Structure formats: C-alpha cells, structure tokens
Amino acid sequence: MDISANLNNVRQRIAGACARAGRQAGSVTLLTVSKGHPAETVCAAAAEGLTLFGENRVQEARVKIGQCPGRLQWHLIGHLQSNKCRDAVHFFAMIQSVDSLALALEINKWAEKSARTMPVLIEVNVAGESSKFGYAPDRVLGELKQLNALSKIEVHGLMTVAPYAPDPEKVRPVFRRLRELKGQCEDILGAPLAHLSMGMSGDFEVAVEEGATMIRLGSALLGPRVAPKPPAGEA
Ligand SMILES: *Cc1c(COP(=O)(O)O)cnc(C)c1O
C-alpha cells in the first residue's frame, strides 16, 4: 500500500473541493482512520507526516496507541459504552461520538477524576438510520445547553456518518443539514463551534464543499482493512 501516493491524491482532491467552495485548503483537518490496521501501518502513515488518527473501538485503540509514537493524537470516532469511558478519557484527545446526555455525564465524571477537560463532538444521525448511533437533530437542539454546561466537557462541534451511497452527490443534503444544525447550535450557545466532522473515503469531496472542517479517511489513505473480530463471547 503506497500511503505516500494515496496522501498526494487525497490532498489534491481536498484542494480541488476547497477551490470549488472558495475555501482555504488549510481549513480542512485530515484525520486518518486506522481501525482494522496494525500499529505498523500507523507508523508508516506517521512517517508521511500524518499525526491525527481515529479509532472506533476503545479496546483496539488502547493496545495500538501503546505501540505507536507518543506524539500522535487520537480521536474516538465510534460508539462509546459507559463502561469504557474511563479508558476513553485516558487515551483520546477528543471523543467525536457523544450520542446521549447519559454518556456525556459519564465522560464528564471520568474527566473530573482525571483532572482534565475532554473536548467532544456531538454525533448526529442526520438521516435517522436505525442502524446508526447518534442524536436526532431536534434532540441535539434540546439537550445542547445541558451538554455544554458539564464542567469537564468542551463541545467543539458536530460529527456525522452519512448513509452509504455509491454516488456521493446523494448525501450532499445530509452534510448541508449538519452545517445548518451547527449554525442553530451556535445561535443557542451564542458562541462559534469549531468543528464539523463529516466526510469519509467515499464522500469527502462533497463534505468539504459543504463545509467540513475535519474529514475522516480510512481506506483512501491506508487501503482495505481487516474486518473487526466480534468481541469475546459475542461470536
Ligand atoms: C471507518 C470509519 C471512517 C472511515 O471510513 P473509510 O470509508 O475507510 O474512509 C470514518 N468515520 C467513522 C466514524 C468510521 O467508523
């Protein structure tokens, strides 16, 4: 897998999407999704200058993080169970997958015990897919003030995973809706939110055109991944 060539290709496509949208190419942060890839692949990506990595399972991440250079930053991008909050607060620089007030309370509790503040994004299930985690858009607006009031949590923005579509144009309305929702959240808070985390390998150009500040790319950078093993006891 030629990560260097993939990265060049991705950078050009980000620059193209930014140009079409009248945005600065530097306004998009690239997060490399390393789930399903071993630590050696992360090290190879780090050697290309990539420094921000995303994992969707705490268990897999904590082993991998221990095997990778300490200067790298890690974000949790998958659903978090309350019994993993302690580790999540310990290992991640940001939790992008806050999908309930109960979870936020638990993260807040462990952040307090660790004497740190935890940057988070609120995950939104824009399309209302039953197979996906995330807040319904209306519910975000209803609970935002309570989430933001938690003393050890900093809400930095919104995250979404768009439905799979062979033609990424089909999910443009999903990205647009998340951008609008961010605006509504900013009105409620009376303050700007830094991040719109949206766009994956199959749809990131459309996401950038619609205002993504962070895109999460796995296969476009690192190639195909090994399917995750089911957790022990859940074959
Ligand atoms: C796996 C994953 C990605 C990356 O997917 P690719 O299609 O490989 O780019 C991005 N975001 C989340 C939340 C993921 O779980």
Side-chain angles (χ1 to χ4, degrees):
M1 186 48 51
D2 190 344
I3 297 174
S4 172
N6 291 347
L7 182 57
N8 270 329
N9 175 278
V10 159
R11 287 213 168 113
Q12 280 177 25
R13 290 166 65 191
I14 294 172
C18 282
R20 289 192 292 281
R23 301 181 56 191
Q24 305 268 338
S27 63
V28 180
T29 299
L30 180 55
L31 177 139
T32 306
V33 178
S34 50
K35 69 181 184 203
H37 290 282
E40 299 83 73
T41 303
V42 175
C43 292
E48 297 298 330
L50 294 165
T51 55
L52 180 60
F53 292 84
E55 287 282 334
N56 67 339
R57 294 172 65 221
V58 176
Q59 219 83 312
E60 179 181 339
R62 63 173 289 173
V63 175
K64 203 178 295 181
I65 291 170
Q67 301 167 341
C68 291
R71 65 188 169 80
L72 305 181
Q73 273 210 10
W74 299 83
H75 286 190
L76 181 66
I77 59 172
H79 176 65
L80 177 58
Q81 291 168 295
S82 58
N83 63 354
K84 305 261 169 58
C85 283
R86 178 195 190 147
D87 277 351
V89 165
H90 185 74
F91 288 101
F92 293 100
M94 182 184 274
I95 297 173
Q96 296 201 7
S97 44
V98 169
D99 54 17
S100 72
L101 188 55
L103 178 65
L105 282 164
E106 193 66 16
I107 295 168
N108 189 64
K109 180 182 96 184
W110 286 107
E112 190 152 36
K113 284 187 206 275
S114 318
R116 70 166 296 191
T117 53
M118 191 73 216
V120 306
L121 303 181
I122 301 171
E123 180 172 359
V124 186
N125 186 352
V126 176
E129 290 174 282
S130 58
S131 60
K132 289 213 171 92
F133 289 101
Y135 267 97
D138 285 349
R139 191 144 192 187
V140 176
L141 299 173
E143 291 187 3
L144 180 64
K145 280 196 163 163
Q146 283 163 280
L147 291 166
N148 195 56
L150 296 173
S151 62
K152 296 298 176 186
I153 280 185
E154 289 172 359
V155 178
H156 284 237
L158 306 179
M159 180 271 240
T160 199
V161 178
Y164 172 74
D167 174 9
E169 274 302 327
K170 290 250 157 40
V171 292
R172 186 181 291 276
V174 169
F175 297 138
R176 189 168 293 167
R177 179 77 182 95
L178 195 72
R179 167 160 50 81
E180 289 165 0
L181 192 65
K182 177 169 164 291
Q184 292 173 289
C185 289
E186 290 171 335
D187 289 345
I188 289 172
L189 297 176
L193 290 170
H195 279 300
L196 262 184
S197 172
M198 58 187 197
M200 307 179 12
S201 293
D203 56 22
F204 70 90
E205 288 156 295
V206 174
V208 167
E209 287 170 12
E210 292 300 327
T213 66
M214 197 185 296
I215 57 175
R216 309 178 309 267
L217 304 189
S219 49
L221 288 169
L222 307 181
R225 53 190 161 253
V226 179
K229 285 194 220 96
E234 287 180 38

